[in-house]
Amino acid sequence: MNTKPSIEMRAIHKIYPDGTVALRGVDFHLHPGEIVGLLGENGAGKTTLMKILSGLLRPTRGEIHVNGQPMHFRNPSDALQSGIGMVHQAFALVPPYTGLQNILLGQEAAGPLSLLQLEAAQKKVTALVGETGLMVPLDVPIELLPIGVQQRVEIVKTLYRGTSILILDEPTSALTPLEIPELFQFLKRLKESGKSIVFITHKLKEVLEISDRIVVLRNGEVMGEIPTAQATPEKLAEMMVGRAVVPRVGRAAKPVGDPVLTVHNLQVMSDTGTLAVKALSFEVRAGEIFGVAGVEGNGQSELVQALTGLRPLKSGEVALDHTGLEHPNPIEFYQQGICHIPEDKARFGLALNFDVAENSILSRQWEPDFLSGLDRLNWDNILAFARQLVDRFNVVTPGIRTVVRSLSGGNQQKLLVGRELSKQPRLVIAVHPTRGLDIASTVYIRELLVKMRDEGKGVLLISADLDEILELGDRIAVMYEGTFIGMGKADELSREEIGLMMGGIAPKGRTYANAQ
Amino acid sequence: MPTPNDQMPKQPSAISHQPSAIGHLPSAVRLPRLLPPALIESLVTILIGLVAGGLLMLPFGYNPLKAYQALFQGAFGSSTDIMETLAFATPLMLTAITFAVGVRAGLFNIGAEGQMYLGAVGAAFIAGALRLPPGLHGAAATVFAMLCGALWSVVPALLKVWRGVHEVISTIMFNWIAFNLSIYLAIYYLAEPGRAERTRPALETARYPILTEGTTLTAVILVAIAFCVAVYLYLWGTRAGYELRLVGENPEAARYAGVRAGNALLLSFLIGGLAAGLAGASQIIGRPPAWSLYATLGNVVTLGFDGLGVALVGRNHPIGGVFAAILFGALAHGGRYMEYHAGVISELVRAINGLIVLTLAVPEIWAMARRRLRR
Amino acid sequence: MKPPITDERRTTKDERHLRRSSVVLRRWSLVGLIVIAIAIFVYGLEQFGLQSVGLLEAGLLAMTPLALAAIGECVNEKAGVVNIGLEGILLISAVTGVWVAELFGNGSMGLLGGALIVALVGAVLGLVSVYGKADQIIAGMGLNIFALGFVPFLLMSLWAFPGIHIFPSELMVPRLTTPLGQLSPVTVGAVVLAVLAHVLLHNTVLGFRIEAVGEKPEAVDVAGVRVDLLRLFTSILGGALCGLGGAFMPLGWFGGVVKEISAGRGFIALACVVFAGLEPLLALAAAFIFGFTEGFAYAVAVTPGVKERIPFYFVNMLPYVTTLVVVALVIGQRRFPRTIGRPYARE
């Protein structure tokens, strides 16, 4: 690239108020008209770096130069002045506002006490939308739009502010496989019009496809920079994680047993009163991992809640070893041998301000082992159990009376998974069990799930991470709009087929029939 | 209070999930380990409150140093004063329980005031109007007062559980209803003949024995401390207590654990009501020289609200509350000396109490202090 | 989590949006019904010798502080800030209002002064909430407790008389004579302010941003608008309006201050806000209903033939009971800003 860089970040350090060191002297530059892929694992510092560039965070040390001029961004509007805009992973859109209102927020072009006149600006916005070629409805409240469309609103909103440098944070994570190429085409058009783009991701395939140059971050430092033409997935992966990528776990050797969980014609309502699970029937057998793939929000949460006693069934039957379960009472479900690794550990599975011992009996506090007369807690047993849990599942903690909040995410999850798996369950329900974890914990927890399967338990694995499903699942179903749009044995389904199904396109020839 | 709790039950409660004075230190539970930082924070907060209170005195020409000297001399100057301080602390440790047990269950229960009025009325009724053998009489008055307090907490509790009415609004309304009801009962049914300004004094048989002659400290403080210890053992030593705290700490995890939140909330309200009722009784059958309830409720008003600051300084822990109550009791007792010797009206102590609560609400103060210390 | 769109889902969600406006409609019809009920009730009372004009006057007077406090709080909560210290603000402004009035020898100056002084209190609470990331409920309660002690202290320090102060009657803000009876100009002001607050929230750029900041402060921040300043502004505005209501109580209504002059009105105002679902005009209506109950209580308390039969203390409970009943009936139907009561932090 022979042009001068439009952006130069030099020796950026960032230490968060709680003491976390996010960036340790990162250099980054960006030329006009190029797409740079910013690659790294969770917690590598990619988002922090770009939040600093877009003025949302201030660096602890380091300089930012825009077109050779040193800049000190105090807030996002300063960065916008320099033409830098960021599309965040969690979109910064006001849910009840329409697309037009969201695009114009902060750009009303009138004093605060003057009357709001959105209609006047509508033409300008419509023209911009036409230029981009994106389909963006302007008069529908954002909360009614699917996430891919919300992303387009967010992009138009950023462009409306006259950005020449567009930062996208994990833009594909919320998209169906069908929407991704569409986004990529748009980004290429944008590049041709002379804008530069930073594309934050942890997905190798995408960064190889879209970028001109790749910068890899690890643990707050730049591990390398490479023109995309010279990059290979292996090389990038090594830079990103520092060692070989996750090993594959072996398939079940033993034949599967009888059904542990039988679901027949299940219907479940969502909180908003819509039908979230529609006439679903399936089985999970002893000694298999039944993986459910799908974009989040297609009824997976409601399904799991219905299977764990947290949500009433509207109709249909759920049976565990042919014992029907219907009352929405989690303890009854646990007593029947279901254990539940919930989707968001901090929200459902742990009380972060309780200590390790107290968390080790969460959802087991009714078990007679942990109680003595008059429903008093039997602390001797509880402490002994917590100690055993910490040892068996390699939970790294200063002590069992340490507040769980101070443990790392991986150790919190190990504590939670250990607690659940030690319930001697017949059926394990695991939802996004490795989300947000480091590689070592991820491998460990996946191995635990496989071990449960090999011990002859049924495992229902629900994950938005397609790789996880493909790696672990013996049978795989894809959930779309409350039903299984397709189901089959793991080796019969290709990644592409599953991708299509996640986007709502049912495979020809394959039906909803139970593939056993 | 129109916080989102009423409408969106799935939203985390404002109290239990923010990095607030309450939220970030709930494990002040195991006293020995957490005492140092928590104690320092509490003491610094009180110091900030006192300094701000001193600043309030300046524009009106009072001398803060002189006032505080009088206050501390009054509070701790002699053994009699220390006893008196403890007497002032007795109701405060109990009304602090009402608020603290609420917070532990994720509630902002500020109904101690009204529940305490009813407790006082109940105690005045049994102690002044019934004839029972000594010992039994006191016990009956105490228990009845506690039941009255608990009864007064039932409606706000049910409104919360059934209708989602926020407890700040319902308990405050109930406080005012209790205020009018108690005055009515005191004047129309319980008044001492010929002395309408107060209820019939408790009979000798119902009174708690005075611990040291010449002070107003009675054995009721032992009952109060025993109650605080019992609440502590209940919350940290039983399944129900564990579940109550779990509901306050993380309502969704509680659901996941199969806990019925409604039961835990009800329980929290009832324990709070019992504590407030006992606080009311302590002022009738455990506090000379009146041994009765003034028709203006003058000898009990605001003791319930004072408990809020006590609970916060005591980290919403029943035992921490006992120590915090002694501090606040010292302020209350010393405040009378301050009024006498420095001319500063004793109510200023309550303003200081409010400033302490305000300071405790701001977690950033501690975050900033910690950052400074680290450097 | 957003479900992918389907036609079925969209209709139901659209219905929810429709339902939201129908809730407002239903709320208004409820108000209408209550007003009709009150009218019939008043007619009945007149047969017993109660003066309906007097009743309306008393009701409007009692409405005024509630309405002012509630209107300000509506705007404040729209921006996502909760102030449960209204009670304390009413108390402090009642005393400071009288003090300023005596200083200038003018009741209207007192109203203004009271409002301005407690606008500072609102600012402090705003600072504590916005920059201190305080737990707003605890902070507000701290303010209430502070006022409980500070007001007697002020009464004593300013006028050397405990608990009560009566000021010369010429300091009272004069009332206007209208067909509805003797009205205070502050009452008229409250009505005008409710309309202005409605316009502010629904038709101005500022209101557009205030609503956005309550729903999604991140969006406002990223759009380059200062979240902190918006919330600080609404806190100060809320404080000032509440202060006007507080100063009105002695200067336009009672003719004196006592240390418990607010008598729970700050919390009743909060109930008005709940009832109104943050709509200033509905808050005004709610304040009228609660105010009327209070006026009715006064009227009963002084009416010969009635006051002997119903003890004064029971009549006194009426506003509180009404508040409870109304809140219990309407709760759970409105929607509040998503981030209400939560401080905003970028990290």
Side-chain angles (χ1 to χ4, degrees):
Chain A
M1 201 90 24
N2 44 20
T3 45
K4 268 181 63 180
S6 49
I7 300 284
E8 271 198 275
M9 300 176 82
R10 289 183 202 146
I12 302 288
H13 288 259
K14 176 68 187 178
I15 303 167
Y16 282 109
D18 65 358
T20 318
V21 182
L23 296 174
R24 313 157 194 265
V26 172
D27 294 324
F28 181 84
H29 61 97
L30 186 65
H31 294 277
E34 71 166 342
I35 300 182
V36 172
L38 195 54
L39 187 69
E41 275 203 281
N42 284 327
K46 301 166 300 211
T47 303
T48 303
L49 183 68
M50 286 302 115
K51 278 187 174 172
I52 288 173
L53 182 58
S54 65
L56 203 58
L57 296 180
R58 281 190 233 186
T60 312
R61 273 205 306 278
E63 296 168 25
I64 302 173
H65 294 259
V66 178
N67 298 324
Q69 296 294 313
M71 295 302 236
H72 297 280
F73 299 144
R74 276 162 299 134
N75 49 51
S77 57
D78 288 355
L80 278 172
Q81 293 280 316
S82 301
I84 302 167
M86 180 160 173
V87 174
H88 294 265
Q89 200 174 1
F91 306 133
L93 296 171
V94 183
Y97 277 16
T98 64
L100 182 66
Q101 285 174 319
N102 268 295
I103 289 165
L104 289 176
L105 181 65
Q107 304 286 316
E108 299 91 347
L113 285 179
S114 47
L115 293 182
L116 184 67
Q117 284 163 328
L118 293 180
E119 291 72 20
Q122 183 149 19
K123 242 186 213 157
K124 220 175 133 194
V125 176
T126 317
L128 178 67
V129 169
E131 259 173 60
T132 60
L134 292 175
M135 290 282 295
V136 179
L138 289 178
D139 50 358
V140 183
I142 285 294
E143 57 193 348
L144 302 184
L145 295 174
I147 217 142
V149 182
Q150 290 188 18
Q151 185 180 59
R152 290 182 223 146
V153 174
E154 183 80 22
I155 291 173
V156 172
K157 182 179 128 187
T158 313
L159 294 177
Y160 185 76
R161 284 154 172 75
T163 29
S164 54
I165 294 153
L166 187 65
I167 304 165
L168 298 160
D169 191 1
E170 302 272 4
T172 57
S173 62
L175 301 185
T176 60
L178 287 181
E179 287 171 310
I180 294 174
E182 197 183 316
L183 173 72
F184 282 6
Q185 272 172 17
F186 166 71
L187 292 181
K188 283 175 183 154
R189 279 203 306 275
L190 213 57
K191 175 182 122 178
E192 277 153 23
S193 71
K195 304 206 190 266
S196 16
I197 295 162
V198 182
F199 189 95
I200 304 177
T201 187
H202 63 268
K203 293 179 187 157
L204 302 175
K205 216 179 110 206
E206 289 174 1
V207 81
L208 284 167
E209 185 183 338
I210 187 74
S211 67
D212 302 314
R213 187 158 60 89
I214 299 171
V215 177
V216 184
L217 283 186
R218 185 166 92 216
N219 208 3
E221 284 173 279
V222 176
M223 294 317 289
E225 198 188 318
I226 185 170
T228 308
Q230 298 166 21
T232 63
E234 291 74 23
K235 211 185 230 171
L236 291 176
E238 204 192 310
M239 281 201 268
M240 196 164 109
V241 297
R243 66 176 168 106
V245 199
V246 192
R248 273 184 80 90
V249 227
R251 294 244 165 267
K254 284 187 227 162
V256 294
D258 291 332
V260 184
L261 175 76
T262 317
V263 174
H264 184 65
N265 254 334
L266 179 68
Q267 306 231 40
V268 185
M269 305 296 283
S270 74
D271 285 336
T272 53
T274 55
L275 204 55
V277 176
K278 298 170 189 162
L280 202 61
S281 300
F282 65 96
E283 297 178 331
V284 179
R285 291 168 172 265
E288 74 162 351
I289 296 181
F290 182 71
V292 177
V295 176
E296 267 181 85
N298 273 293
Q300 293 99 323
S301 302
E302 287 84 356
L303 171 64
V304 168
Q305 287 170 2
L307 295 181
T308 51
L310 288 166
R311 190 178 282 274
L313 319 181
K314 181 167 180 275
S315 64
E317 287 125 48
V318 173
L320 197 68
D321 282 354
H322 309 297
T323 318
L325 290 168
E326 43 193 312
H327 300 294
N329 173 1
I331 291 182
E332 229 170 81
F333 283 62
Y334 301 145
Q335 279 167 340
Q336 293 294 325
I338 288 182
C339 81
H340 175 193
I341 299 164
E343 58 180 302
D344 182 342
K345 59 181 180 299
R347 211 171 125 202
F348 298 100
L350 296 170
L352 292 185
N353 289 324
F354 278 21
D355 63 28
V356 172
E358 285 175 310
N359 272 293
S360 71
I361 59 160
L362 201 155
S363 82
R364 309 187 60 168
Q365 77 282 4
W366 50 272
E367 292 182 15
D369 282 355
F370 302 126
L371 296 175
S372 41
L374 295 172
D375 254 9
R376 278 176 301 134
L377 295 176
N378 186 335
W379 279 107
D380 290 341
N381 286 2
I382 293 171
L383 295 179
F385 173 69
R387 242 174 249 124
Q388 190 197 332
L389 212 56
V390 165
D391 288 347
R392 247 184 80 199
F393 293 92
N394 305 322
V395 182
V396 180
T397 168
I400 52 168
R401 311 248 52 178
T402 303
V403 173
V404 164
R405 183 180 291 286
S406 63
L407 304 188
S408 74
N411 284 306
Q412 290 178 357
Q413 185 74 352
K414 281 192 266 181
L415 174 67
L416 168 65
V417 170
R419 179 187 78 206
E420 291 305 311
L421 297 188
S422 63
K423 277 178 178 170
Q424 301 302 332
R426 285 183 287 168
L427 174 71
V428 179
I429 298 179
V431 191
H432 311 312
T434 61
R435 172 179 283 179
L437 299 189
D438 57 282
I439 287 187
S441 310
T442 302
V443 171
Y444 182 67
I445 285 171
R446 287 181 184 169
E447 280 168 0
L448 283 175
L449 291 176
V450 168
K451 208 174 120 213
M452 294 308 279
R453 176 201 57 199
D454 293 344
E455 284 172 14
K457 327 264 191 211
V459 178
L460 174 62
L461 170 69
I462 290 169
S463 178
D465 180 350
L466 188 51
D467 294 318
E468 183 163 78
I469 296 282
L470 283 169
E471 190 185 317
L472 297 178
D474 299 315
R475 269 191 311 135
I476 294 173
V478 181
M479 197 159 183
Y480 182 76
E481 298 205 333
T483 56
F484 289 163
I485 190 169
M487 196 185 321
K489 286 192 179 153
D491 36 20
E492 292 170 357
L493 287 170
S494 71
R495 175 183 281 270
E496 287 64 36
E497 262 181 303
I498 296 178
L500 282 172
M501 289 192 269
M502 285 169 76
I505 297 172
K508 287 214 176 70
R510 250 186 247 285
T511 52
Y512 303 91
N514 270 1
Q516 297 301 342
Chain B
M1 172 51 342
T3 73
N5 300 5
D6 304 336
Q7 297 75 39
M8 293 175 256
K10 274 174 219 73
Q11 289 285 320
S13 132
I15 296 168
S16 56
H17 285 267
Q18 276 173 39
S20 68
I22 313 180
H24 70 144
L25 281 161
S27 10
V29 298
R30 277 158 297 278
L31 283 170
R33 195 157 35 79
L34 260 152
L35 246 188
L39 187 66
I40 291 168
E41 284 192 17
S42 292
L43 291 178
V44 170
T45 312
I46 290 172
L47 200 69
I48 293 175
L50 287 175
V51 169
L55 293 178
L56 285 181
M57 293 182 206
L58 287 175
F60 301 100
Y62 301 114
N63 181 345
L65 291 178
K66 207 176 138 200
Y68 284 142
Q69 195 194 354
L71 189 143
F72 285 105
Q73 224 154 37
F76 300 112
S78 67
S79 62
T80 321
D81 286 320
I82 293 174
M83 295 297 158
E84 214 54 46
T85 287
L86 291 176
F88 273 95
T90 307
L92 298 182
M93 63 182 76
L94 292 167
T95 51
I97 292 258
T98 309
F99 182 74
V101 175
V103 170
R104 290 290 174 183
L107 293 167
F108 201 90
N109 177 359
I110 43 179
E113 188 78 17
Q115 293 152 18
M116 179 196 54
Y117 297 159
L118 266 291
V121 168
F125 167 66
I126 299 280
L130 294 190
R131 289 191 181 278
L132 289 168
L136 179 67
H137 199 178
T142 308
V143 169
F144 185 70
M146 290 169 77
L147 292 179
C148 288
L151 193 71
W152 202 248
S153 72
V154 166
V155 178
L158 293 181
L159 281 176
K160 171 81 183 179
V161 175
W162 288 344
R163 297 286 306 155
V165 175
H166 198 287
E167 64 277 7
V168 166
I169 288 186
S170 61
T171 51
I172 287 276
M173 293 305 128
F174 256 68
N175 287 346
W176 283 99
I177 296 170
F179 181 75
N180 284 296
L181 181 65
S182 302
I183 294 181
Y184 170 76
L185 292 173
I187 290 178
Y188 284 76
Y189 293 100
L190 301 171
E192 188 179 5
R195 290 189 64 181
E197 83 274 14
R198 64 176 207 186
T199 63
R200 266 189 299 270
L203 299 175
E204 293 284 349
T205 48
R207 295 179 186 178
Y208 280 94
I210 293 172
L211 289 182
T212 352
E213 267 324 306
T215 72
T216 66
L217 183 66
T218 67
V220 79
I221 190 173
L222 303 176
V223 179
I225 291 175
F227 187 87
C228 293
V229 172
V231 170
Y232 165 66
L233 292 176
Y234 187 73
L235 288 184
W236 275 272
T238 69
R239 175 184 167 186
Y242 175 87
E243 293 185 341
L244 184 150
R245 289 186 296 122
L246 185 57
V247 167
E249 179 52 43
N250 185 344
E252 301 212 58
R255 234 163 66 79
Y256 164 86
V259 177
R260 283 169 209 269
N263 291 355
L265 297 185
L266 198 60
L267 191 62
S268 157
F269 266 109
L270 288 177
I271 296 174
L274 291 174
L278 181 55
S282 77
Q283 296 312 97
I284 308 301
I285 52 177
R287 196 77 188 273
W291 301 108
S292 65
L293 179 64
Y294 293 125
T296 54
L297 309 187
N299 53 341
V300 291
V301 278
T302 71
L303 289 177
F305 285 124
D306 293 347
L308 204 154
V310 177
L312 289 173
V313 171
R315 300 296 167 194
N316 297 307
H317 189 285
I319 308 297
V322 172
F323 293 103
I326 294 172
L327 271 171
F328 278 82
L331 289 180
H333 173 55
R336 300 195 308 177
Y337 274 69
M338 178 177 76
E339 181 163 345
Y340 189 74
H341 290 287
V344 182
I345 188 168
S346 62
E347 264 108 338
L348 187 70
V349 168
R350 188 152 296 116
I352 293 171
N353 184 341
L355 290 169
I356 290 171
V357 172
L358 243 170
T359 316
L360 277 169
V362 189
E364 282 296 290
I365 292 180
W366 308 115
M368 270 190 299
R370 256 176 252 128
R371 259 174 264 155
R372 281 282 141 72
L373 284 178
R374 209 177 281 146
R375 263 170 215 166
Chain C
M1 253 182 290
K2 293 282 172 225
I5 194 149
T6 67
D7 287 335
E8 184 190 326
R9 282 206 175 121
R10 181 180 299 197
T11 32
T12 45
K13 279 218 176 169
D14 280 343
E15 273 165 22
R16 268 201 305 146
H17 273 258
L18 275 180
R19 231 182 290 152
R20 203 170 288 162
S21 52
S22 86
V23 164
V24 173
L25 201 72
R26 252 190 294 158
R27 192 60 40 81
W28 275 113
S29 39
L30 183 63
V31 170
L33 278 178
I34 294 176
V35 169
I36 292 169
I38 288 175
I40 296 170
F41 186 61
V42 166
Y43 175 78
L45 287 176
E46 264 189 67
Q47 309 303 308
F48 278 100
L50 273 170
Q51 283 287 308
S52 63
V53 170
L55 208 55
L56 187 66
E57 275 177 13
L60 286 173
L61 284 173
M63 171 196 83
T64 308
L66 294 179
L68 286 166
I71 292 163
E73 184 62 8
C74 280
V75 179
N76 202 15
E77 288 191 16
K78 274 264 185 199
V81 189
V82 174
N83 179 0
I84 74 160
L86 294 181
E87 179 82 3
I89 293 183
L90 283 176
L91 267 176
I92 295 172
S93 57
V95 180
T96 52
V98 171
W99 176 66
V100 174
E102 291 192 352
L103 209 63
F104 287 89
N106 181 323
S108 305
M109 285 306 287
L111 290 178
L112 196 67
L116 287 180
I117 290 173
V118 291
L120 283 179
V121 177
V124 170
L125 218 55
L127 289 172
V128 162
S129 309
V130 173
Y131 299 108
K133 317 243 182 303
D135 186 312
Q136 294 167 16
I137 299 206
I138 298 180
M141 208 54 212
L143 176 59
N144 287 334
I145 295 175
F146 168 75
L148 228 49
F150 182 60
V151 159
F153 170 75
L154 263 188
L155 285 169
M156 192 69 190
S157 309
L158 291 173
W159 297 295
F161 203 80
I164 184 161
H165 175 68
I166 311 287
F167 52 84
S169 60
E170 58 267 25
L171 288 183
M172 286 290 281
V173 177
R175 295 197 182 154
L176 313 167
T177 311
T178 71
L180 293 172
Q182 300 264 308
L183 282 188
S184 173
V186 183
T187 307
V188 181
V191 176
V192 173
L193 281 168
V195 175
L196 285 180
H198 178 86
V199 172
L200 171 78
L201 284 179
H202 295 283
N203 300 92
T204 67
V205 171
L206 186 60
F208 179 64
R209 292 174 174 185
I210 285 175
E211 196 180 333
V213 88
E215 289 287 343
K216 188 98 179 182
E218 296 85 348
V220 176
D221 192 9
V222 171
V225 180
R226 296 276 296 269
V227 172
D228 50 346
L229 293 186
L230 277 175
R231 290 188 163 171
L232 210 51
F233 166 76
T234 61
S235 295
I236 294 171
L237 181 74
L241 286 182
C242 186
L244 184 59
F248 162 82
M249 287 190 293
L251 292 167
W253 188 10
F254 298 136
V257 242
V258 290
K259 65 178 181 186
E260 54 277 283
I261 190 167
S262 53
R265 287 192 184 84
F267 291 96
I268 297 182
L270 286 171
C272 292
V273 176
V274 172
F275 175 89
L278 307 191
E279 288 303 322
L281 292 178
L282 271 170
L284 181 73
F288 175 73
I289 292 165
F290 292 136
F292 182 84
T293 320
E294 209 183 321
F296 169 69
Y298 287 121
V300 167
V302 298
T303 306
V306 184
K307 66 176 176 187
E308 289 82 4
R309 256 172 278 166
I310 309 171
F312 167 71
Y313 299 102
F314 282 93
V315 176
N316 251 358
M317 291 177 200
L318 209 55
Y320 311 114
V321 176
T322 318
T323 305
L324 258 184
V325 170
V326 170
V327 171
L329 286 180
V330 305
I331 202 96
Q333 300 174 9
R334 308 131 331 254
R335 212 186 133 268
F336 281 84
R338 266 161 243 250
T339 64
I340 194 161
R342 264 184 284 163
Y344 170 65
R346 280 184 183 169
E347 300 160 19

